[in-house]
Each structure stands twice: as C-alpha cells, then as structure tokens.
Amino acid sequence: SFSLSLCLCVCLSPLLCISVCLSSVYGLFEKRLFLLEEAEGGFDQFTRSYRTFGVNRMADNRLVLREWAPAAEALFLTGDFNGWDNFSHPYEKKEFGKWELCLPPKHDKSPAIEHNTKLKVVVHTKKGERLYRISPWAKYAIQAEKQVIYDWVHWDPPQPYMHIHPRPKKPQSLRIYESHVGIASPDPKVASYTNFTINVLPRIKDLGYNCIQLMAVMEHAYYASFGYQVTSFFAASSRYGTPEELKQLIDTAHSLDIVVLLDVVHSHASQNTEDGLNSFDGSDSCFFHSPPRGEHALWGSRLFNYSSWEVLRFLLSNLRWWMEEYRFDGFRFDGVTSMMYHHHGSMFSGDYSEYFGLQVDEDSLVYLMTANHVLHTLYPDCITIAEDVSGMPAVCRSVAEGGLGFDYRLAMAIPDKWIQILKELADEAWDMGNIVYTLTNRRYGENCIAYAESHDQSVVGDKSLAFWLMDKEMYTNMSSLIPMTPVIDRGIQLHKMIRLLTHALGGEGYLNFMGNEFGHPEWLDFPRKGNNESYHYARRQYNLLDTDHLRYRQLYDFDRDMNRTEDKYGWLAAPPAFVSAKHEGDKVIVFERGNVLFLLNFHPTRSQTNYRVAVASPGKYTIKLDSDEVQYGGHGRLDHNTEFFTEPQPFNERDNSMLVSNTSERERELYAVT
C-alpha cells in the first residue's frame, strides 16, 4: 500500500506541473485574444493588415503606403516613379511608431506607381543616418544579375492570376512530398515554378502523395540557406518565377486533389539589413529583441519579439497572406524547438522539468497558440505541422485543451535512427526492439509525421539512404540488364523495407523528400564558394526514371504502390499498431494496423518457413503488397495466389494465429489483409 501511494505521488507530480504551466500559458493566450478584440475589433481584420501596410491600391487607384518604424526620425519613398528622388515623397508620422503616405492617381487615373517598378524606403535615423530599406510588407523582390542586394519591386499586375479550383478537403491520411522548387530538375540550374507545375506535379500525383510541402518559397537572399534565412516574408521567391506562376502551381495541385503546405519560417530572420527586416528603422530591435536575446548565435540570425503588438500583427498577417493570396492549405512551422526555449534547443531526455520552467519562452508559446487558433478558426481544414525535436507535451493538442494547437509534429528521431544504424551497425547487429521502440515512441493522442529521411539527411556532409546503402556501386551497377551485385541487392531490399516500416509504424502521417522515393544517389549541396558555385548536387535527377532498365524505376514503383495500398486501407489514420513480434534472433517484426498485417524479415541470410504469427481477427488473409515482386527489384519468390487461414490458437497476446509458409531473407515484406 505504501509502495503504491509513493508511486502515484511520483507519477502525478509532473502531470500537476504540466497542468499548472499550461494553465498559466493559456491564461496569457486568453488575455491576448481579449486585447485583440478590444483594440482591433478581433483577429479577423488584424490578421489582414497586409491590406493596410506596405503598398495598397484603393478602388480609385490611390496608393496608400504604411510602415511601422518606431525608432525612425523620418521616412521617404523613392523609386522609378519619382526618378529616385530621396526627398519628394515623405511619409507622415502617426501614433505608435507608424508612418503613412498617400499617392493620388496620375492624370490618366492610373496608379502613381506602375506595376513591376522598383521602390525603396528611405529611413532617416535619430543619429543622422540615411538608410535604404525594402518594406517589410514587400510582395516581390528581385536580384539583378551580378548584384548581391535584392530590389523591392511593386507587384500589382493588371491581370492577376485567378484561382479556378477549390481547396481539397483535409486528407485523413497525410502523405507528404517534401519539395524544393529550385532543385526540381535534372538540369544544373535553378528550376522554375512552371517546371514544377508541368513536370513534377504529375509524378507526385502518380506516386500517391496527397500533400506537397514547399520549401524555400519565402524570399531569401542566400540560395544555399535552403530558404531558412528569410529576407522578405510576404514575397514569393523570384528566383523561380513570378507570384502568378506560384499561384498557378498551387491551383494545379488543387485540381489534382493535392493540398500544398508552406514551409513557414517565423522562428528567426536573416541578419540582412538593406534587403531584410534587420535594423529596418535603424535600431537594433524593431521586429526583434535587442541583443543578446534577439540574436541566434548558432544560426547567425535575428529572433522575433513575440510580445510586441506590431510583430504579432506582422507574423499573423503573414500567415493569412499566404492562405488568402496564394491559397496554401497550411504550414510546416520551422524551428519550433528554437522558438519554445530560451536556450533554443539542447539535448532532451524526456524529463518534464525540461519542458516547463524559466527556460521556456512563454511569449513564443502564446504566439504559436494564437497562430493555430486563428488558422483553425478561419480555415477548419488548415494543416499545421511543428518541427519540434524536444517532445514538448501538448504541442499537438488543441488550444482549447491548453495545447499549442498543431495537427502534427515531425518524428525527428526516426531518420536519425536509420542513419545511425546504417553508419554504425552490421546487418546482424540490428536491434529489432530498439527500431520498434524508436518508431513507436511518441505521445499518445499527438499525431506525428514519420519519415525515413528528409532534406536534412541529404545535405552535404551526409547523404541519402540509398547512397548509404549502395554508395559508389550506384554509378555502375543499377542496370537491370546485369545481375544484381550483393551490395545492390542488399541496398534495394533494405531501402524498401526501411520506408515501409517507417510508413506503417512510425506515425499518423508520412513524409518523403523529393527524389528519395526512387533512391536518389549522392547528396544535396547548393552552389557556394566552397564548391565553385556548382549546381551539380543542387538538382533532382528525375531523368534516371526515364531509362526503363535502371533499377530506380523499381524503387519508384514500390513507393507508388505502398502509397496506393495505404490509400486503400488507411493505416496512417488508424490507431497505433499492435506489435506482436520483434524477434532478435529471427530479425522479424510483425504488427497489425488498420486491419492490415505487416511481416518484415530483416535477417540477412535466413528464410523463415512455416512461421507462426499472431493476429487479432480470424479469417482468410491474402497478400496485398510484396516487396519481393520482380517489378520492385525483388526475386519473385512468393505465390500471390496463396491464402492464409487463421487458427484459434493464442499466440503473442492475440487470440488467433496462423502459419506463414515462407518469409525469405530480407527481400520479404508481406502484408496481408482480411
């Protein structure tokens, strides 16, 4: 009795801590909503501030320009429209650090600033400096040839793109194709939105993915930053084309019943001043905390002041802008771990004391709760994903429950585990229990996106899973016209099994980085001084699929049929799997999920004959997906006409079991359904 009481005391203490801390943050969130209602008439208009800040054309073609620059002494507008006169068009100072300028239409009633012409905000500081800045609300920015600094371009086309297709409904099973427009071509150059629309979208549809996560869309001056050093938050990157071409990409995806998520970066911003947010009004703060709190030492970037009213206006309106203007369907929030903690991320053991205390940035938590509340209230089918490695409790619980309100978090430990295994362990040393633990170690009731590899695992210094498995033999031995070498055979089979196991066991959604579905070789490396500005590794070699005799096509076909099978049986939307076997000697993993039985044999040399497996549902089972099929690069050793019948013989905590006649070494994953 004493022992039981002590146990309950120890277990309930961290839960009480969670309740108190979440209650405190929720109180701050409620206060934020109350103030929004009181001061701004609610969050609807407040989050549409892109209609009042930056440059906006009125019905009579007047242009109204508004900026927030609290530390500035004076503001002027200059550009092509006034012959770059730095003083002819001053802004009028308003209250709360705001500045406003109204430009009447020209004599012909056309706007004073023409579409596709350049502008600058001239900021005069209290120190007597004259600074040239891009509006934080700029909707388009370009980089002229041989120029480092981006130019602000007024984007107001006379015939803007009109979306035709409605947003698809939120998928029950989320299968994400993580994409970067610039590398979406085999050619050594920056690819375009139009190329993606014409050449990549059909492949994504064929593969069975129902969601695209677009990286590096928010304008970023440094291409090699992978889009994570944002300079213009409201501008779609011009290096891939125009805003209208991005709208067409999204509209076309919607016509294919594919939702599109934006990889949004609200965790930090570029340090650039002339073409970024940094020091917009000449101060060391404005949108950010003053140093040192406002600087991320590791990333070399600035950190937002989430407690600032105008920063809240800017960031929430930014989310609304991408949803309204471009019709994105949601967001993958980058760097959530960095946002939530003052230390910006460290090693986490899972102890609850790491999640609550002075190290937690409450302002950030309130911002994330507010963002999710706004998005899910205005757009019920909106999808939000948190990039969080810490495991903070309630990240993926609703705001009404005191959570942060995300729909999913990334299961970031899974790809790290696969890379560790491939780097450090021989096949015979793979620990089935540890693999299953990693794949199932997630908070119950909080949805996770599982993935075997993303862009992170492919960047320079690392390499794709396929290249870890097959390395240099991929250059010479991937033809199906010659016998498979042992290295290629092992690599082909393990590539399929790793992805299948991750897909079926690792989460409530699945993510694949573009090209990795067919075993893309090598790694990613953007043009930079260190590689002589080469685009050789900043591309995706889809041309490998166009040569029928290369085995890349076999991996592509397996990935396609894996997704299509999930679409039919819906295991991602099903409750967590029941794992009935993780046998170390046999190297076998068996589990059930979504009325599907999964059998995987990782043994490098041993087939399993007449192997008893546990099942919950009695009846007849048949093969629905078999990685050993010849079309997937397998050896075709299973008879798909075989029917498997259960017996009322309890086994491994299930009431029924059956004998599977043959699960051959490594090449065999069998899933069967009733």
Side-chain angles (χ1 to χ4, degrees):
S1 175
F2 174 77
S3 175
L4 176 61
S5 300
L6 179 64
C7 176
L8 286 173
C9 179
V10 171
C11 291
L12 287 174
S13 178
L15 295 179
L16 180 62
C17 174
I18 292 173
S19 176
V20 170
C21 292
L22 291 180
S23 176
S24 171
V25 174
Y26 187 78
L28 295 173
F29 160 73
E30 284 190 309
K31 182 180 179 181
R32 175 67 53 83
L33 286 188
F34 173 78
L35 291 175
L36 280 173
E37 189 68 39
E38 189 176 62
E40 303 282 348
F43 60 73
D44 187 18
Q45 290 304 313
F46 183 70
T47 58
R48 291 181 185 266
S49 291
Y50 52 81
R51 292 180 172 180
T52 53
F53 281 78
V55 184
N56 286 281
R57 177 165 53 86
M58 303 295 105
D60 61 358
N61 277 347
R62 282 182 304 121
L63 294 178
V64 178
L65 299 91
R66 186 177 286 115
E67 301 293 348
W68 178 63
E73 184 70 20
L75 255 65
F76 298 85
L77 184 70
T78 188
D80 292 332
F81 80 103
N82 68 357
W84 293 96
D85 189 319
N86 289 335
F87 301 99
S88 62
H89 289 81
Y91 285 74
E92 181 183 352
K93 189 173 185 177
K94 302 291 185 178
E95 59 182 352
F96 307 121
K98 296 170 186 174
W99 300 80
E100 190 173 297
L101 170 64
C102 183
L103 297 178
K106 294 189 285 189
H107 293 300
D108 62 1
K109 305 300 181 183
S110 64
I113 302 173
E114 294 180 6
H115 165 64
N116 209 22
T117 57
K118 294 180 181 179
L119 297 169
K120 285 279 188 183
V121 176
V122 184
V123 179
H124 290 243
T125 72
K126 291 181 172 62
K127 296 179 181 179
E129 301 169 298
R130 185 192 303 169
L131 308 174
Y132 295 90
R133 296 289 187 255
I134 288 179
S135 169
W137 302 80
K139 299 174 177 68
Y140 195 51
I142 63 170
Q143 185 182 39
E145 190 175 353
K146 296 182 180 178
Q147 184 173 310
V148 176
I149 303 298
Y150 270 70
D151 291 317
W152 172 22
V153 173
H154 177 55
W155 192 260
D156 186 18
Q159 294 180 320
Y161 184 86
M162 302 300 293
H163 293 268
I164 302 170
H165 304 283
R167 283 192 174 103
K169 291 184 178 180
K170 182 178 180 179
Q172 284 192 316
S173 295
L174 199 62
R175 301 182 297 274
I176 303 172
Y177 198 80
E178 186 185 32
S179 304
H180 186 293
V181 170
I183 66 173
S185 163
D187 300 323
K189 64 178 184 180
V190 178
S192 67
Y193 295 124
T194 300
N195 166 74
F196 196 95
T197 302
I198 295 172
N199 296 315
V200 182
L201 283 181
R203 294 186 189 273
I204 297 172
K205 179 64 176 178
D206 179 61
L207 280 163
Y209 291 95
N210 55 20
C211 176
I212 298 168
Q213 177 184 304
L214 279 184
M215 308 171 59
V217 168
M218 303 167 77
E219 190 59 88
H220 49 292
Y222 185 40
Y223 188 43
S225 73
F226 232 131
Y228 294 122
Q229 294 272 347
V230 174
T231 46
S232 291
F233 282 72
F234 287 81
S237 183
S238 60
R239 56 172 52 88
Y240 318 128
T242 68
E244 312 313 300
E245 289 164 344
L246 173 58
K247 293 173 187 176
Q248 185 177 29
L249 185 162
I250 295 169
D251 197 26
T252 305
H254 287 169
S255 75
L256 299 172
D257 208 29
I258 297 172
V259 298
V260 186
L261 309 183
L262 175 69
D263 198 345
V264 71
V265 185
H266 282 183
S267 50
H268 64 134
S270 168
Q271 283 200 26
N272 290 18
T273 53
E274 286 194 52
D275 56 5
L277 290 183
N278 191 17
S279 190
F280 173 68
D281 63 355
S283 72
D284 64 359
S285 53
C286 197
F287 289 92
F288 311 107
H289 290 289
S290 295
R293 184 178 176 185
E295 294 179 332
H296 197 300
L298 185 61
W299 293 349
S301 54
R302 297 303 311 270
L303 299 175
F304 287 105
N305 178 2
Y306 300 108
S307 66
S308 164
W309 193 260
E310 293 304 320
V311 173
L312 185 68
R313 180 195 306 276
F314 180 78
L315 294 177
L316 291 179
S317 295
N318 188 234
L319 298 174
R320 194 82 188 273
W321 165 258
W322 293 109
M323 293 293 289
E324 289 287 335
E325 184 71 12
Y326 289 91
R327 296 185 65 80
F328 278 95
D329 301 288
F331 302 95
R332 179 263 202 190
F333 280 72
D334 175 69
V336 169
T337 302
S338 174
M339 295 173 71
M340 293 192 300
Y341 305 94
H342 292 299
H343 54 64
H344 306 304
S346 59
M347 297 298 292
F348 292 91
S349 67
D351 189 281
Y352 284 105
S353 65
E354 298 169 342
Y355 303 126
F356 305 100
L358 295 179
Q359 71 272 27
V360 176
D361 188 334
E362 287 189 339
D363 293 336
S364 170
L365 297 186
V366 173
Y367 166 67
L368 292 171
M369 293 172 76
T370 307
N372 275 305
H373 175 73
V374 168
L375 289 170
H376 288 108
T377 301
L378 295 173
Y379 313 98
D381 280 349
C382 178
I383 300 167
T384 59
I385 301 172
E387 188 206 23
D388 171 41
V389 71
S390 74
M392 165 79 82
V395 164
C396 297
R397 299 302 298 182
S398 71
V399 175
E401 296 175 308
L404 297 191
F406 285 97
D407 297 290
Y408 300 89
R409 61 152 45 97
L410 294 178
M412 301 177 72
I414 296 175
D416 291 343
K417 173 57 64 176
W418 286 125
I419 291 293
Q420 178 201 5
I421 288 172
L422 294 179
K423 282 182 178 179
E424 299 177 5
L425 299 178
D427 293 2
E428 299 78 14
W430 286 28
D431 186 329
M432 299 294 104
N434 184 252
I435 292 171
V436 168
Y437 173 78
T438 303
L439 287 164
T440 57
N441 181 27
R442 54 189 184 272
R443 298 192 183 281
Y444 183 80
E446 297 199 43
N447 293 338
C448 287
I449 302 293
Y451 56 107
E453 54 184 333
S454 70
H455 69 274
D456 286 328
Q457 283 68 46
S458 297
V459 294
V460 65
D462 216 320
K463 48 192 177 183
S464 68
L465 283 181
F467 215 59
W468 274 112
L469 288 163
M470 295 174 278
D471 207 66
K472 62 183 179 181
E473 287 209 20
M474 296 188 77
Y475 296 124
T476 56
N477 296 325
M478 286 295 283
S479 172
S480 61
L481 301 178
I482 60 175
M484 278 194 288
T485 65
V487 169
I488 296 296
D489 194 5
R490 169 185 180 270
I492 291 284
Q493 315 318 328
L494 283 177
H495 190 272
K496 292 177 289 185
M497 294 184 69
I498 287 170
R499 299 172 75 80
L500 168 60
L501 183 57
T502 303
H503 199 305
L505 192 59
E508 289 68 41
Y510 177 74
L511 179 144
N512 164 71
F513 179 62
M514 61 188 315
N516 289 349
E517 71 276 3
F518 62 81
H520 201 285
E522 301 173 328
W523 52 86
L524 277 172
D525 190 10
F526 284 81
R528 54 189 174 83
K529 288 183 179 180
N531 63 12
N532 295 318
E533 305 296 336
S534 172
Y535 286 85
H536 181 75
Y537 296 109
R539 59 197 180 110
R540 295 279 92 179
Q541 299 181 57
Y542 288 110
N543 56 302
L544 295 172
L545 295 171
D546 299 330
T547 306
D548 291 339
H549 67 79
L550 292 181
R551 297 191 183 278
Y552 299 102
R553 186 75 208 186
Q554 297 169 342
L555 294 176
Y556 175 99
D557 288 347
F558 179 77
D559 197 81
R560 176 198 64 207
D561 291 349
M562 177 173 66
N563 282 325
R564 291 180 180 180
T565 307
E566 195 288 325
D567 187 59
K568 183 175 181 180
Y569 297 105
W571 59 73
L572 288 171
F578 180 88
V579 181
S580 60
K582 40 190 175 181
H583 199 291
E584 299 301 340
D586 296 338
K587 300 299 180 191
V588 167
I589 296 173
V590 181
F591 61 94
E592 299 161 272
R593 191 178 185 191
N595 205 32
V596 181
L597 176 66
F598 297 81
L599 294 86
L600 298 99
N601 179 17
F602 282 93
H603 203 287
T605 60
R606 187 196 308 160
S607 297
Q608 310 295 344
T609 304
N610 293 325
Y611 202 79
R612 183 165 294 279
V613 297
V615 290
S617 301
K620 179 180 71 175
Y621 286 70
T622 57
I623 298 171
K624 296 300 178 182
L625 183 67
D626 169 20
S627 71
D628 196 43
E629 282 198 71
V630 173
Q631 65 168 321
Y632 306 143
H635 299 276
R637 290 170 293 194
L638 283 183
D639 181 0
H640 285 215
N641 293 318
T642 304
E643 297 177 337
F644 304 89
F645 294 91
T646 62
E647 304 171 80
Q649 179 176 333
F651 186 68
N652 285 354
E653 301 182 43
R654 287 306 212 200
D655 292 335
N656 303 284
S657 62
M658 64 183 179
L659 291 176
V660 179
S661 57
N662 183 24
T663 63
S664 186
E665 69 280 0
R666 191 154 48 204
E667 291 86 335
R668 197 78 68 264
E669 302 121 35
L670 161 67
Y671 5 137
V673 298
T674 54

